[in-house]
Structures are given as C-alpha cells and as structure tokens.
Amino acid sequence: MVSSEAKTGLKTPDAEWAEKWEAVIGLEVHVQLLTRSKIFSGAPTAYGAAPNTQASAIDLGLPGVLPVLNGEALRMAVMFGLAIDAHIAPRCVFARKHYFYPDLPKGYQISQYELPIVSQGHLDIEVEGQARRIGITRAHLEEDAGKSLHEGFGDQSGIDLNRAGTPLLEIVSEPDLRSPAEAVAYLKKLHQLVVYLGICDGNMQEGSFRCDANVSVRRKGEHKFGTRTETKNVNSFRFVEKAIAYEIERQIEVLESGGAVVQETRLFDPDRGETRAMRSKEEAMDYRYFPDPDLLPVVCTQEYIEGIRRQLPELPEAKKARFMDHYGLPAYDAGVLTAERALADYYEAVVESSGADPKLCANWVITDLLGGLNKLGCELAASPVSAGALAGLLKRIVDKTVSGKLAKEVFEAMLAGEGSADQIIAARGLVQITDEAAIVAAIEAVMAKNPSQLAEYRAGKDKLFGFFVGQVMKATQGKANPEAVNKLLKEKLASP
Amino acid sequence: MSLSPEQVQKIAHLARLELKPEQEGAYARQLSDILEMVGALARADTERIAPMAHPLDMVQRLRADVVTDPVGAEGRAAFQAIAPAVQDGLYLVPKVIE
Amino acid sequence: MSAGTRGPGAGSGEALHRLSIRQLAEGLRARRFSSRELAQHFLQRIEAHDKTLNSFVTVTAERALAQAAAADARLAQGAGGPLTGIPIAQKDIFCTQGVKTSCGSRMLDSYVAPYDATIVRKLHAEAGAVMLGKCNMDEFAMGSSNETSWYGPVRNPWDLERVPGGSSGGSVAAVAAGLAPAATATDTGGSIRQPAALTGLTGIKPTYGRVSRYGMVAFASSLDQAGVVAHSAEDAAYVLQAMAGFDPLDSTSVDRPVDDYCAALDRPIEGLRIGLPKEYFAEGLDPACRAAIETAIGQFERLGARICEIRLPHAPLSVPTYYVVAPAEASSNLARYDGVRYGHRADGARTLEELYKKSRGEGFGAEVQRRIMIGTYVLSHGYYDAYYLKAQKVRRLIYDDFKRAFETVDLVVGPTAQNVAFKLGDKLDDPVAMYLNDIYTIAANLAGIPALSIPCGFVNGLPVGLQLMGNFFDEARLLNAAHQYQLATDWHLRRPHGFE
C-alpha cells in the first residue's frame, strides 16, 4: 500500500493517475435547514442542548404521534431550487425509508423518494480557470436522525435524539465531478449558496453541512461507470478532498492489481486520512419505501413559487457583477467582497454611510478590516469595528480631518476597542492641519531655521524639496495636510 | 405464492423478529395462505388506474415555524420515566459498531 | 338492584345501566343521581362482571371518581354539556396520560402514556365525560375476535363461549353487558362494526379524517378511524359529537364543521334512497342472518325509504386489497417498537440486533408478527409493484365503485358480518378464515366513507348486525336513519341474560 501521505498529496487531475484513469464523483450533501422548530414537530432545533431535552413525543416516535410539515422548511427547499434554476415539483410526496438503527426512533426516516421537491438544477464552478456546469439531480426534504455516543457507557452506546427531526435538504449532484479539486469547488459553491440564501448556518463542525462522496474510477475513454463506493462522514472541505483522493487511489490500486471494487459504504477516518468499510452497512439495505400515509401530498402552486422567487436574495454571481458594474470595482475585489453575503452587506453599508469612493472603501474592507480580523482570529460577525464605525473613519479621510496615513493608526485603535474614529482622533490629537495660515507659519519657521538649504534650493537643487516637506511634517507632528504642504511650500520656496 | 421457511426467516430478519424454530413452519404455511388469498389482486384490470395512497383528496397542511414544544429537562424526565435503560439523559443500547 | 339504597326520586332503585345517555344527562341535571353515583354504579358492575368478561385491561376507579366529582361541581353550577358526568370506557389504543396504554400487547404492557390523545382530551377534559377504564382489544387492533390480546380473550356477554368480535372486543363487551354506557373504539377494517354486530350494539366508524388520530396508537394510518360503540344511534351521536372535529396535530384531519348529529336524529327518512349491493348478498352470507337483514330492509321501506339494487363490482377484492395495504402500513408503524425508548425490552441482549429481534419477538404476538411479515414482504424490493402498488390501484377501483353508487343512492345497506358470533378458538389457527370476517366492512375503510352497524335481529339467541354505509361526511344521515329504525324496533333494547 502506498502511504496515506502520498495519496492525500493529490489535488488535481494532473496527478499521476490522470493519464490513464478518470475519476467519477457525485456528492450527496445534507444541509440542515435553519428553521426554529423541527420539520414535523414543534420542538426546538438549537444546537448544543443537553441530551434529549429537545426531543419531543413526535421526535421520539412515541405511539400515536403524528407529523405535520413545517412550512418554513418547504419554503427554504423551494428557495434553494429556484437558486439553482431547478424544477420545483408542483406536487411532491413524503415517503418512509425503513431501517433499524437506534438513532432512528420510528424505524423509518420520513424522506422523499419518487417525487422530490427539487429536481434538475445545476451549479457552475470554476477550477483553475476552467468553468464547468455541475448537474444537481435532486434535492429533497427529510428529517435528520439522532446521534449515537460510543464513549463513556462501557459496552453500551448512549443515544441522544435532540437532532432527530431537524429538517434536512439532501442535495444530490450528478456524477459530473472529475477530480477532488472539482468536488471541493462544487462543495464550496454549494456552501456559499445555502448560507447566502439564509437557509443554513453552514457550520460544518456542528454538522449543519455534511457530505457523502460517491466515487468510482474508469479507464480513460471508457464510457461505462465503474463500481462506486459511498464515503460517509466527511465534514470539512479539506477532508472531502483527502477522502476522495484516497478513495480514487485505492480503487485504482485495486483495479490495477487485478481486483474488483466492491460497492460498499465507507467511513472516512480523519486521523489516519483513510477510508474503511463500515461494518454496520455490510448487508444490502432494503429500505421498503412507500408513501407516508400520515402525510398528504405537498402542493406548490405557481403563485406560491413566484412569491418565494420574489423574496430570493441577490445571489453571489449577480452580486459580484453588480459590484463591478455599479461600484467600478475590479473583479478580484468584487469577488472577495461577495464571497459571503455578510461581507457584501458590510461593504455596502460602509459605502453608503461614508460617502467615500467605493474603491477606497473596498481597499479598507479587504486590506485593513479582513487583515485586522484575521490577525485577531475573529469572524466578521464578531468584528469589533462595525460597518458604521469604519464608515465614520472613512468620512474623516474624505473631509480631510485625518490623513490616510494616520487613519491606519486610528483603525488599529478601533480594532483594539478604543472607541469611535472621532473619539480616537480627538484623544490622540490626530486632527489634520488644513489651515493654510498655520502651515505657512510652520513653513516660514523651517525656512528661517535652514538658510543654507534654502539658498541651495533656490540655486537649483530641486531635490531639497523633499527635505523641506519632511521638516514641515516633522514640525506639525505629521498632522499637516500633505497636499496643502506641497502647494504652499512650492510657493514659498519659489518666492524670496 | 408459497413461502419457504428460509424465506420466512429472511423476512423476519428484515422485520427484526426472532422466530422460534418451531414457529417457522406454521408461519410459512399461514403467510403462504395469506399471499395466495391476496393473489386475487392480480386478476383486477388496473390499466391506467392511478394508485390511491389515501382516501382523502386533500393536500398537506403546513405548520408555522414556531417552537410549541420546548421539551426541556422536565419533558425529558417524563419521557425517560418510561424508558427501559437510560444514563445521564441518554438512552442506552448495546454498543453500536459503525 | 335493591330498592331504596340511593337518594330520593327516580334514582332509587333505578337500573342506571339501562338508561340512555340522554336519560342519564337528564337525570344528572335533575339531581336524581350524581355523576359520582353513576361512576360508582358502573364501577361496581365492572367489579361484579368483568372477571367473567375480561373486557377491561385497566379500571381507573380513582380517576373516574375524581372526574365525576369535577363533573358534579360543573353541573352544580349549571355548566357542562350533554356528556358532562357521563361515564364511558376508552379502548386501550388511545393514549391516556398517566394511565397504562397497552394496545393489547405485551410490547406496551408497561407503557404509561406521557400525553393524552386528542379524543381523550376532547371527551374528558372538554366534554366532561368520566373515564371508567381502558378496554381490552386485539393486539394492536389486529384481529376480529379479541383473541390476540396479551391480556387474554374477551367473552361475548350473549354467550360466554363465543367471541365478541374484534378488534374492539373489550369496548363492545363492556357496553353490551352494561358495564359502561358507551365506549370508544377504532375501526381499520371493521373493528367497530363487526364487534358491534356480534354483541347487538350500534357502532359507527366515521369518515376518514373526521376524528383526530393523534394519540391513537397507529395500526394502518390510511385506514384507521376512531368511533364509538353504544346501545343506540342516539347514544352514539352524543359521544361522536364530542369526539369529531378538526385537529391541527393530525395532517389527515379534515378542517370542516361538524354536523349536529343529535339534531339530525329526528328527521323523517321518507324518500331516503337505499342501495343494496348485490355483492353483499352473495355466497357466504348465513341464510338466517340474511333473513334478518331482509326483514330490516323491509322496515326501512315501511319508514319511507326507497330500496334499489346496486353494484359494487370490486367489493370481492376488498379483503385481498386490505391484506396488502393494512399489513404494509402496520409493518412500518410498528417498526418503532424496538425496546429502546419505551415498551418491552428483552433481557440479556448483547448486540443491537439481538435487542431488536428478541424484544420484538417476545413483545409481539403471533397475529401481529404475521402481519408485520406480510407487510414487510409486500414492500420489499421486487414485490412492491406486484403487491403494494397493485393494491393501491385496486383500492381506487373500490373507491370509484362507491363514488358511482352515491350518485344514485343516499345509503348503501347490507350485512355487517357473514354470521353471528363464533366460538372462541374456532378460527385461531386459520388467519385467512379469520380475515373473511371483515369481508363486508373493509370496503368502507378502503374508500374512507362512514359506516355503522345496528342490531337487526337474532339468530340462535345471538345478535345480527345491519350495516349502513354513507357518503363522505354523511355521519348525520347514517345516525338519523339508524335512529329512525330504532324508534320503530327494539333490538337495541335487548340485553344479554345475566347482565340485565
């Protein structure tokens, strides 16, 4: 076996195997929808509660309980469908998927089978300058299961059903992805989209966005798909890349040594960077799907769908284009600023309330704000400097209260929580001197102190202009407006 | 349609029922009888008939996204009072192997 | 009853268990007896007779007396409705908070429900009825003889060697024997009507969606419907009135106003169009029962009904359709009983699979296991289309038959069962023979329409039931027709020997 390091080193189809083999990858992503209550019960969905304190009679599957669909979960699913340009089923049906497992209280999961709410959509990705359209076969609503805890109970496992009944949107891609890098690009794009839509908090550590990867390989030029495996439990972008790369290499190795890939469910072990077959999924599943008789067909009228379409937020690509067009930003800036909806909103708030040049605002947000937050190890949502506060500083640059250079110092202080731009400027005495009389007085004092340099300058040694600027700035502790200094100094030095 | 004891065991496994060996034969016979009776369905002409999942010609009603059932520690205590085995608020089962 | 043991007026020596619910309500308001006295009277009768009948799994004497005291307080203030203070029994399929809810199964022998079913709340907390206890039943409502209960068979008060029918066997035996004025029941394929027929009672299964299923332990979700068994259509109307109505907790509950069943009882039935399905009078119907049915139809004709023959061509496929659909849904609904969160858990299971298999193997009886296996089989890979999908299609054909029929008639009338009550143990080892008991009742569940059974005569001293089926949400008309028949006949007033 090749060491796992060698395998996980793979990043792109340019890897060694890419000459002879082609990987075929499809992703199934489970997105926890950001509803307050569960998909079929009125229990809360908040993360991190004490075990089983958010599992209601319905979530526990007590005898006699019945499900009623949460309208918000449906609305979010439709919203997603519209965002990927998909078909929204005018009539969709919930089915029961049966299997016995302790985190599945009813012995079946309520899911959608034959008639999912969303089908035939797509997402466009770009990898190394190559644009590709990835098909999304379907996205369906279902309920999440609970969690099994294996440590701390001796030869037993502990079951926490708080998560049971949390609404999920399972998004199934076509097997259109051809490399780990493409898979990650697709996943990141999808992640960005669901967070943008406000239907998911995107928190991968807490399991709000989970990915299963279906991977197979075939020899280049072959049309038939190879036997695929499904790898579960890949809960970060990095792990997805590693798990898929490992699985591609493993399958190629199996095939090249004359073996056959077994269709199975595998588990990714992040510590070892490997996948292994899951014991609990060894037997072939017979899920015995049938329409859930406790739920009726869900009907989405055209009117309902159009109502949701009108509420759709501006999506990343449209926003980026608008930022370039409307604010005159370069593509790079627009891309960075629209990567997250919250950042884009932040930026627009800064532009609007500062009245400053949009490019200047972009520089401050990208370089100073993001750089500063990065140093602090802090998320935008927890930023010590609000959009309004940053706009307050930029206003002072625009009205020349503070110079651009000193503004950086002010911003550092703002990040450190020392107060608003105005408070810091006042406290530190950083107000720019724009009063021409005061600047002229400083110039005249400098000229008086340096008669020899003055004579040399007037004799034609132009280079000494910089010397005089420096002296004037020094005399004003850097607060003199540089443009005014330049202009007035030129006048004074020229006329004896 | 006739089921063998082996088929009965397979179905019982899928349904997670432990059958005693002496039950197998009787179940095989009885289930075969039932399936034979049910076999009469095959004679019905259902060409172009839409399956009927439900007697009501209604659509699913939607619930407002409101927490109406906060559960909490009190709710858990009530639910776990009837549970066969719990520890620290968790339901216990023989160790799950993934 | 010994005279003079109770208070003044008509209450003294009154056979309280022979009074109708309307008479009981009047008596309570006239202070001839209190709700507490009523409850005590029925509790004493349960004490005296139920060792023989086995119609109750749990008697809730304390709760009954507390509820009766509360009802008396309400009545004293001139408050309360027609059921306030009236004792009733609950089928042990309805969840009752703080009271064991066994569903007739070892699986739930230790199960104390942590919440009330909607109909339990409506009947007791809202309407003020008094709960005497929980009635025995076939395990998970699967059976037609009440012999599949973990708590043993229920005996028919008309002949203790015979079955009371099922699955609501405890409910009907208790009411027929005068241990409760009325009882709730459920009907998935005939479990209200067939036992009502076998014990000389009136039992109504409403339209699917009319009564909330929330808190009713599920057997087959698309067929289950709660209803009531009582001595008369009038009694049934009072209880059903309090049970029916929209419930936001049940997605299959219908949001439409409930008719005034009691007010509709007295309408004349002149001109009522009654259809007799040819298929319901074919081979298999006992000739003596048939004669009783025909006499009853003659009575309806004398009351002004117009009788005609109709066809329900797919009726013979009801039983096969049902025995695919019902077990399929049951196998799914019963998957939750795994010994983890509640219910029976086998000792000494070392692995998860052992825990499941042993708990379910021990917790479920043979009939439940048979149906789980049939259901599992018809839903499993490779068989779904041939069985489940096919049955769903035939279900539509059966439904269409009724839709067509109700274009020309108001009610469809026929026998409830092929014969009178059979002997205990007679059909236990032959599931298919047992299943044919429901041959006339199943179609109404598949179609979702309301239906009731009323007593219409006796064969060898055993009651015969007449079935009336109505159009969707036509409960008022069914109860009206049954009541008019009962005004003209006295079959519903007969009481079994030893329980008068």
Side-chain angles (χ1 to χ4, degrees), chain A residues 35-38 41-44 51-53 55-57 60 68-72 100-101 149-150 153-159 276 279-280 283 288 293 295-297 299, chain B residues 13-16 53-54 56 58-73 75-76 79-80 82 85 87-98:
Chain A
T35 55
R36 289 183 200 91
S37 63
K38 294 196 174 165
S41 85
N52 291 309
T53 56
S56 70
L60 293 171
V68 183
L69 180 62
N70 184 339
E72 188 60 9
F100 285 92
Y101 207 65
L149 305 173
H150 308 306
F153 302 95
D155 57 352
Q156 313 247 61
S157 289
I159 309 297
R276 63 173 168 83
R279 285 181 59 184
S280 58
E283 77 182 289
R288 289 162 284 137
L295 290 160
L296 299 168
V299 168
Chain B
H13 170 69
L14 202 51
R16 297 296 186 273
H54 229 274
L56 293 175
M58 292 197 326
V59 302
Q60 179 60 38
R61 194 160 20 85
L62 301 178
R63 189 172 59 76
D65 183 24
V66 179
V67 174
T68 51
D69 197 351
V71 187
R76 179 178 73 183
F79 293 138
Q80 295 197 339
I82 49 171
Q87 184 187 319
D88 306 332
L90 293 131
Y91 296 94
L92 292 184
V93 296
K95 196 151 207 135
V96 179
I97 301 155
E98 282 185 316

Side-chain angles (χ1 to χ4, degrees), chain A residues 330-411:
Chain A
Y332 173 80
D333 288 18
V336 173
L337 291 173
T338 57
E340 281 179 46
R341 188 167 152 189
L343 185 65
D345 290 347
Y346 186 105
Y347 169 76
E348 293 205 275
V350 170
V351 173
E352 193 180 332
S353 56
S354 70
D357 171 41
K359 174 60 183 156
L360 178 76
C361 295
N363 293 345
W364 273 89
V365 170
I366 293 169
T367 313
D368 302 284
L369 176 76
L370 292 184
L373 292 178
N374 195 28
K375 256 186 249 164
L376 291 175
C378 164
E379 296 285 327
L380 179 66
S383 169
V385 180
S386 69
L390 178 55
L393 174 59
L394 299 189
K395 268 187 207 162
R396 296 295 159 258
I397 298 176
V398 172
D399 69 12
K400 300 193 161 64
T401 304
V402 70
S403 69
K405 198 166 160 222
L406 285 177
K408 306 267 175 187
E409 184 187 329
V410 177
F411 187 72

Side-chain angles (χ1 to χ4, degrees), chain A residues 481-493:
Chain A
N481 178 289
E483 288 155 40
V485 171
N486 270 331
K487 189 190 88 176
L488 295 170
L489 198 55
K490 260 185 193 144
E491 287 171 18
K492 286 285 163 194
L493 291 176

Side-chain angles (χ1 to χ4, degrees), chain C residues 141-176:
Chain C
M142 298 177 195
S144 305
S145 65
N146 213 115
E147 292 169 291
T148 71
S149 170
W150 169 247
Y151 302 95
V154 176
R155 291 172 185 273
N156 190 326
W158 292 94
D159 177 347
L160 298 175
E161 296 308 309
R162 289 174 191 268
V163 302
S167 67
S168 307
S171 298
V172 290
V175 176

Side-chain angles (χ1 to χ4, degrees), chain A residues 58 60-68 96 98 100-102 105-108 161 286 288-291 293-296, chain C residues 95 111 114-115 213-216 221 248-251 332-333 335-337 341-342 352 356 376 379-381 384 388:
Chain A
I58 293 170
L60 293 171
L62 294 191
V65 298
L66 296 170
V68 183
R96 295 180 178 181
H98 299 85
F100 285 92
Y101 207 65
K106 298 185 293 295
Y108 60 83
L161 297 170
D286 188 342
R288 289 162 284 137
Y289 282 101
F290 81 108
D294 286 334
L295 290 160
L296 299 168
Chain C
C95 290
Y111 184 72
Y115 75 99
R213 293 189 297 116
Y214 195 82
M216 173 175 134
S221 308
L249 298 178
D250 175 359
S251 294
S332 174
N333 284 329
R336 70 190 59 203
Y337 303 102
R341 298 165 316 288
Y342 50 78
L352 201 55
Y356 290 150
T376 302
L379 289 176
S380 66
H381 189 70
Y384 182 88
Y388 187 74

